[in-house]
Amino acid sequence: VNGETGIVCPMSNAKQLAESINRIMTIPDEEYERMAQQAVNNSRLLFDASNYVQRVTDIYQGLVAQR
């Protein structure tokens, strides 16, 4: 999530990429640590195997219920 778990910039925009890298290199340590922790939490939520299985199960159950 842009500004919460990292910095997102459009592909093939070298100027914005440079600005994003500069921002990451100059933010206060506390903000950097907060952003890094949010990224870890977000990836655990999205990519944890049990969460993934539950989401897929919910999708299948929803599809079966529609029949």
Side-chain angles (χ1 to χ4, degrees):
V1 178
N2 192 28
E4 294 179 26
T5 59
I7 304 295
V8 177
C9 63
M11 293 175 49
S12 46
N13 185 333
K15 181 180 181 196
Q16 192 164 0
L17 175 60
E19 290 169 359
S20 297
I21 292 170
N22 188 52
R23 177 163 184 248
I24 287 293
M25 299 298 290
T26 59
I27 61 174
D29 289 344
E30 298 81 24
E31 184 178 348
Y32 178 85
E33 290 298 326
R34 180 196 54 77
M35 192 178 293
Q37 188 59 53
Q38 282 292 103
V40 169
N41 294 343
N42 193 40
S43 61
R44 284 185 179 148
L45 179 66
L46 292 174
F47 302 111
D48 176 73
S50 61
N51 288 340
Y52 176 76
V53 169
Q54 185 60 54
R55 288 194 313 268
V56 171
T57 301
D58 292 344
I59 290 168
Y60 277 109
Q61 288 176 341
L63 293 171
V64 169
Q66 291 178 6
R67 295 188 89 211

